[in-house]
Amino acid sequence: MNHEIGIVDVAKAAGVSIATVSNVINGKGRVSGETRRKVERIIAELGYTPNLPARHLKTNRSDLIGVVVPTMQPGRLQDNPFYWDLLAGVEEGARDGRYHVILTGIDEERETLAFVKERRLDGLIVVGAGEGSPLVPRVAALGVPAVFIDSYLRSPELNQVVLDDRSGAHAATAHLIGLGHRRIALLTGDMPPEQLPYFGVLYERLLGYRDALEEAGLPYEGDLLLRLPTSLEGGFEAARHVAALPDVTAAFAFSDVMAMGLVKGLREQGKRVPHDYSVVGFDNLFVSEYTAPALTTVSQDILAKGRVAVRMLLGQIDGVGDPARRIVLPAELIVRETTGPAGAANARNN
Amino acid sequence: MNHEIGIVDVAKAAGVSIATVSNVINGKGRVSGETRRKVERIIAELGYTPNLPARHLKTNRSDLIGVVVPTMQPGRLQDNPFYWDLLAGVEEGARDGRYHVILTGIDEERETLAFVKERRLDGLIVVGAGEGSPLVPRVAALGVPAVFIDSYLRSPELNQVVLDDRSGAHAATAHLIGLGHRRIALLTGDMPPEQLPYFGVLYERLLGYRDALEEAGLPYEGDLLLRLPTSLEGGFEAARHVAALPDVTAAFAFSDVMAMGLVKGLREQGKRVPHDYSVVGFDNLFVSEYTAPALTTVSQDILAKGRVAVRMLLGQIDGVGDPARRIVLPAELIVRETTGPAGAANARNN
DNA sequence: CCAATCGGATAAAACGTTTTATCACCAGTA
DNA sequence: TACTGGTGATAAAACGTTTTATCCGATTGG
């Protein structure tokens, strides 16, 4: 007799049909104020809670949106405490729309994405799948509303939200140039150059760097690009190379973790920051303000990124919202203590 | 005619009953090798994928496990890049068991947890709900398998996985004592003392600190406890108080972020670490190795925490596994550069 | 006064599975 | 021969919703 109470029990107790109860729950068909109130009272009394799987079977939906992140995708800033904020933004937005978020890390090569169809996911948010990623066509083929974060995909059919990486990198580089630096090393990450466009985020930052050089009439020199992993260790190792490059007085790292590794590495070489070298990072991690010295960096509002993406996705799901577009979020340069005027070291040396 | 193909289509195409198809899918009833192969072939040919909501309706399950985290719970180290690793561990473990993870941040006071029943979640992982939290009885009342992470709940009925905070704190304190420090400031967080036991993690660390003092025959002095927020800012502010405490030569912070704030604050006061003050943190964040100086801290394997928790939960769901227990994971002291012998400053001053 | 409209409610048919009870068949055994 | 037991397969009854088509007044319009 320990039977979960369902819509039929409510109907019976209220003396109405189950269709009416359903209508009350979903606020759909026509039902008089009086019966509505009665049904609602009964629902509360009985403590009825709907059986969502049943509803989902009938409606062919799931009220679930999937967030897909790469588990170990090379070239991503995988060690960053980056995803959490993003996820927090998504989750918050989804919950307002009575959706829930289902998270899954995927293996680029193998993953079949079958669960999307199986579970009848209502939408998908894909993080960090670049232009060349096999994931992109696979997701598109699913026929499910989707939005890509940090992807810079060329197809105008796809919904995207990205940071204005190019402007951010431009601002960072221009800041260094304004301080008198002429040769600025670049820590780009270690993917092969011909693949760089596939990692759109990094490519855009490279473009921003070039923009700023060009604007200042400075040459873009290939030997200033350091291809090392986008990690603390990579940045640390980069210090050796930076120190060996003649006339280089500044470095721009494409992530804060790299920048932190670099600062540490430079110090171990006996170099001081910003006295001997200026350093700029990218991301503005919450710790970047508290490193010593505090890191000059490009800030992005990751939480907002998540919020914007989910809002866009829900719009797609509900059929409202523009057919497809790319939303670009602003990047902001935050000047702290790792950057200073060029020539300080030279002045001392002379 | 654009009809999603279901189990009936497979059955028709294979010339068998739907029951048989169901059996081969689930590997349940008896079905001959021959027909099994035939059905499997048809399934592949037709590209059939099961409709999970339908299955879930029938089986009254969801193959979903929920992860519940506090959104803004006071006293938690909310800014830490902590949750992501935990979640990664959980997700990995769940996926092996064909479960998926549904994430939700909850508002302690308001949240009704209704979605657990509505969606027929198979299990719940609750993070950081202390002994006094209203969440705990609510989860227990749900009657769903659950495991609590970082909770230190007294009830032996509840499944828990925690770090060995007490031993970790003991090791940290003993390390400082071994270096000759006699008065060690403690950055505990800012919850009122009488509520401290509710934040089990912090309380255990306090106990570990006391253990070490007692072992060394040192007094436990209440005025060494600094009640400031468990954040970078809190640690930063603590520096003023630490500097004002007579004869204090070391500090133990209950999180790395606090420790980092403290180091920064001390430096702004003109104090050097570890020359004037030794500092120990807790957590071993991935950045802690790269701060300057590198942080001495207590390390915990957060990924493993997630993995262990989900394994425990799946055991509960499947009915195997011990009825209920508390798993304690080891903590390890990592000595880096923020700790050094006491008396260095005194020696200089004299 | 008849037809048309409308508000309120309902019966019953799905939705795509799993599962229980049953069946047909055959081989061995009494 | 009749019975038992096992193997392979199936028909049909759920599971708890949503939704479509229908119905029954009562009101309105001509």
Side-chain angles (χ1 to χ4, degrees):
Chain A
M1 205 61 221
N2 212 344
H3 144 83
E4 288 268 345
I5 62 156
I7 204 176
V8 298
D9 305 290
V10 175
K12 210 163 293 174
V16 297
S17 76
I18 62 173
T20 301
V21 177
S22 176
N23 282 336
V24 166
I25 292 172
N26 302 307
K28 285 214 159 175
R30 15 202 94 272
V31 42
S32 77
E34 189 182 0
T35 43
R36 150 158 294 120
R37 271 186 299 277
K38 188 204 296 181
V39 169
E40 278 166 348
R41 210 194 56 231
I42 301 283
I43 284 181
E45 274 175 16
L46 264 47
Y48 162 77
T49 87
N51 181 324
L52 258 30
R55 169 182 303 171
H56 295 325
L57 165 60
K58 187 60 188 166
T59 57
N60 206 32
R61 308 169 27 102
S62 63
D63 296 336
L64 238 35
I65 77 181
V67 172
V68 171
V69 300
T71 10
M72 306 247 75
Q73 185 183 355
R76 288 294 309 165
L77 318 179
Q78 56 204 358
D79 286 332
N80 282 8
F82 171 95
Y83 293 125
W84 180 258
D85 278 354
L86 192 65
L87 206 53
V90 171
E91 200 276 330
E92 178 196 307
R95 202 152 33 119
D96 290 352
R98 74 144 198 226
Y99 287 84
H100 276 114
V101 171
I102 190 173
L103 171 77
T104 184
I106 83 144
D107 180 327
E108 280 255 333
E109 297 307 323
R110 187 169 44 75
E111 180 63 56
T112 165
L113 252 32
F115 71 98
V116 175
K117 257 197 307 190
E118 291 179 346
R119 289 198 183 269
R120 300 300 195 261
L121 293 200
D122 293 338
L124 219 47
I125 291 184
V126 184
V127 185
E131 178 71 44
S133 166
L135 200 53
V136 178
R138 231 173 268 169
V139 168
L142 245 32
V144 164
V147 16
F148 294 83
I149 293 184
D150 286 347
S151 287
Y152 283 106
L153 303 170
R154 275 191 273 274
S155 162
E157 312 278 309
L158 303 173
N159 308 291
Q160 310 180 42
V161 20
V162 296
L163 181 73
D164 194 344
D165 292 281
R166 188 166 182 168
S167 297
H170 174 275
T173 312
H175 166 63
L176 290 172
I177 294 172
L179 287 169
H181 300 279
R182 289 296 165 260
R183 300 197 78 214
I184 302 167
L186 207 60
L187 279 64
T188 63
D190 61 346
M191 73 295 308
E194 72 277 8
Q195 273 194 32
L196 199 51
Y198 294 160
F199 298 87
V201 176
L202 302 179
Y203 190 56
E204 291 288 319
R205 293 178 193 176
L206 182 61
L207 293 180
Y209 169 81
R210 283 213 304 218
D211 291 347
L213 288 182
E214 193 172 326
E215 245 175 65
L218 293 172
Y220 169 70
E221 306 171 81
D223 61 319
L224 293 182
L225 303 211
L226 299 177
R227 310 195 177 288
L228 291 160
T230 44
S231 62
L232 280 163
E233 291 78 6
F236 184 80
E237 198 192 332
R240 276 196 6 253
H241 300 86
V242 169
L245 287 168
D247 298 327
V248 164
T249 56
F252 176 23
F254 281 177
S255 82
D256 276 4
V257 287
M258 267 195 289
M260 289 165 56
L262 175 65
V263 169
K264 169 124 181 162
L266 285 172
R267 185 177 307 109
E268 301 223 338
Q269 309 252 336
K271 312 295 187 185
R272 285 177 298 170
V273 175
H275 192 270
D276 300 315
Y277 288 96
S278 285
V279 172
V280 182
F282 207 110
D283 285 342
N284 193 27
L285 299 188
F286 77 100
V287 282
S288 301
E289 189 181 347
Y290 281 81
T291 54
L295 192 60
T296 294
T297 188
V298 178
S299 167
Q300 60 171 320
D301 187 344
I302 303 180
L303 195 71
K305 224 182 215 177
R307 278 201 273 248
V308 166
V310 74
R311 191 171 345 133
M312 192 173 187
L313 183 63
L314 295 190
Q316 295 286 324
I317 292 175
D318 297 341
V320 268
D322 318 293
R325 56 182 181 147
R326 173 191 287 178
I327 295 182
V328 179
L329 270 48
E332 186 192 0
L333 177 69
I334 310 254
V335 178
R336 296 205 184 96
E337 303 166 0
T338 51
T339 48
N346 292 340
R348 186 194 45 159
N349 289 345
N350 296 356
Chain B
M1 208 59 225
N2 214 342
H3 142 84
E4 287 269 346
I5 62 157
I7 203 176
V8 298
D9 305 290
V10 174
K12 210 163 295 174
V16 299
S17 77
I18 62 173
T20 301
V21 177
S22 176
N23 281 337
V24 29
I25 290 173
N26 302 306
K28 286 214 159 175
R30 1 216 94 266
V31 41
S32 77
E34 190 183 1
T35 43
R36 150 159 294 120
R37 272 186 298 277
K38 187 204 296 180
V39 169
E40 278 167 349
R41 209 193 58 230
I42 301 283
I43 285 181
E45 274 175 15
L46 265 47
Y48 162 76
T49 88
N51 181 322
L52 258 31
R55 171 182 302 171
H56 295 325
L57 165 59
K58 187 58 187 168
T59 58
N60 206 32
R61 311 170 25 104
S62 63
D63 296 335
L64 238 35
I65 77 181
V67 171
V68 172
V69 299
T71 9
M72 307 247 73
Q73 185 183 355
R76 286 296 308 166
L77 317 178
Q78 55 204 357
D79 286 333
N80 281 6
F82 170 96
Y83 293 125
W84 180 259
D85 279 353
L86 192 64
L87 205 54
V90 171
E91 200 275 331
E92 179 194 307
R95 201 150 35 116
D96 290 352
R98 73 141 199 227
Y99 287 85
H100 277 113
V101 171
I102 189 173
L103 170 78
T104 185
I106 84 146
D107 180 326
E108 280 255 333
E109 298 306 323
R110 187 167 45 74
E111 180 63 57
T112 164
L113 252 34
F115 70 98
V116 174
K117 256 197 308 191
E118 291 180 346
R119 289 198 185 266
R120 301 298 194 265
L121 293 200
D122 293 337
L124 219 47
I125 290 184
V126 184
V127 185
E131 178 70 46
S133 165
L135 200 53
V136 178
R138 231 172 269 168
V139 168
L142 245 31
V144 164
V147 14
F148 295 82
I149 292 184
D150 286 346
S151 287
Y152 282 106
L153 303 170
R154 274 192 274 273
S155 162
E157 312 278 309
L158 302 173
N159 308 293
Q160 309 180 43
V161 19
V162 296
L163 180 74
D164 194 344
D165 293 280
R166 188 166 183 169
S167 297
H170 174 275
T173 312
H175 166 62
L176 290 172
I177 294 173
L179 287 169
H181 300 279
R182 290 294 166 260
R183 301 196 78 215
I184 302 167
L186 207 60
L187 281 63
T188 64
D190 62 346
M191 73 295 308
E194 72 278 7
Q195 271 193 34
L196 199 50
Y198 293 160
F199 297 87
V201 177
L202 302 180
Y203 189 57
E204 292 288 319
R205 294 177 193 177
L206 182 61
L207 293 181
Y209 169 80
R210 283 212 307 217
D211 292 347
L213 289 182
E214 194 172 324
E215 244 175 65
L218 293 173
Y220 169 70
E221 306 170 81
D223 60 319
L224 293 181
L225 303 210
L226 299 177
R227 310 196 177 287
L228 291 160
T230 43
S231 61
L232 281 163
E233 292 77 7
F236 185 79
E237 199 192 331
R240 278 196 4 254
H241 300 86
V242 169
L245 285 168
D247 299 326
V248 164
T249 56
F252 176 24
F254 280 177
S255 80
D256 275 4
V257 289
M258 268 196 289
M260 287 166 56
L262 175 64
V263 169
K264 170 127 181 160
L266 286 171
R267 185 177 305 110
E268 302 224 338
Q269 308 252 337
K271 311 295 187 185
R272 286 177 299 168
V273 174
H275 191 270
D276 300 315
Y277 288 97
S278 285
V279 173
V280 181
F282 207 112
D283 284 342
N284 192 28
L285 299 187
F286 76 101
V287 284
S288 301
E289 189 181 346
Y290 282 81
T291 55
L295 193 58
T296 294
T297 187
V298 178
S299 166
Q300 58 171 320
D301 187 344
I302 304 179
L303 196 71
K305 226 183 216 176
R307 279 200 272 249
V308 166
V310 74
R311 189 168 348 131
M312 193 171 184
L313 183 63
L314 295 189
Q316 294 286 323
I317 292 175
D318 298 342
V320 266
D322 317 292
R325 55 178 182 151
R326 172 191 287 180
I327 295 182
V328 180
L329 288 115
E332 185 192 0
L333 177 68
I334 310 254
V335 178
R336 297 206 184 96
E337 303 166 2
T338 52
T339 48
N346 290 342
R348 188 193 45 162
N349 288 346
N350 295 356

